[in-house]
Amino acid sequence: MIWLEGWIMNVAANAGANVAIMAAVMRKQMIQHFEKAGAFGAETAIPLPPKHPRSTVNALIKHKVIVSVGENLFYLDREADARSLREQGKAALAALGMLALIGLIVLGMVLVGRA
């Protein structure tokens, strides 16, 4: 039965990693759309790409990485992008630290249970 629990945890971890990778790729593609066009201010704002994941756009707008300047016109705020990436890095490190702590607690419980 322990192997089943391990398998389930492995599947869940892989699924989470895949979602994170897909989100990062979509984010990068969206940023590149604005960089290629040189859309870094209101005067150079452009429409969103024809096919874009709404969740990615919403997240970038929420963090003010993509700024709306009117009817379907947006530009990339490079400073907000850099700030957002730093915050994501800090959050990822915190999550890894929590996972490591949980792993140590579980390992300790298993070792104590064997004693």
Side-chain angles (χ1 to χ4, degrees):
M1 193 59 116
I2 291 175
W3 68 268
L4 181 59
E5 292 170 3
W7 180 81
I8 290 170
M9 288 177 63
N10 192 23
V11 168
N14 285 336
N18 287 340
V19 168
I21 290 168
M22 287 173 43
V25 167
M26 287 186 269
R27 181 188 193 287
K28 183 174 180 159
Q29 289 174 344
M30 185 65 63
I31 297 299
Q32 287 176 339
H33 170 74
F34 291 94
E35 287 176 336
K36 286 178 183 175
F40 302 118
E43 61 283 346
T44 56
I46 59 172
L48 295 170
K51 294 182 180 180
H52 57 275
R54 195 68 216 168
S55 60
T56 302
V57 172
N58 289 341
L60 292 172
I61 290 172
K62 177 182 173 186
H63 291 101
K64 298 180 172 88
V65 173
I66 294 177
V67 181
S68 174
V69 292
E71 186 76 24
N72 196 32
L73 291 176
F74 300 85
Y75 69 89
L76 173 66
D77 183 333
R78 289 175 163 171
E79 290 178 18
D81 184 34
R83 188 172 44 253
S84 175
L85 288 173
R86 281 192 305 273
E87 290 170 4
Q88 285 180 359
K90 289 177 185 177
L93 283 175
L96 285 173
M98 287 301 294
L99 285 174
L101 180 62
I102 291 168
L104 288 173
I105 291 169
V106 169
L107 179 62
M109 292 170 59
V110 167
L111 291 175
V112 169
R114 289 185 180 174

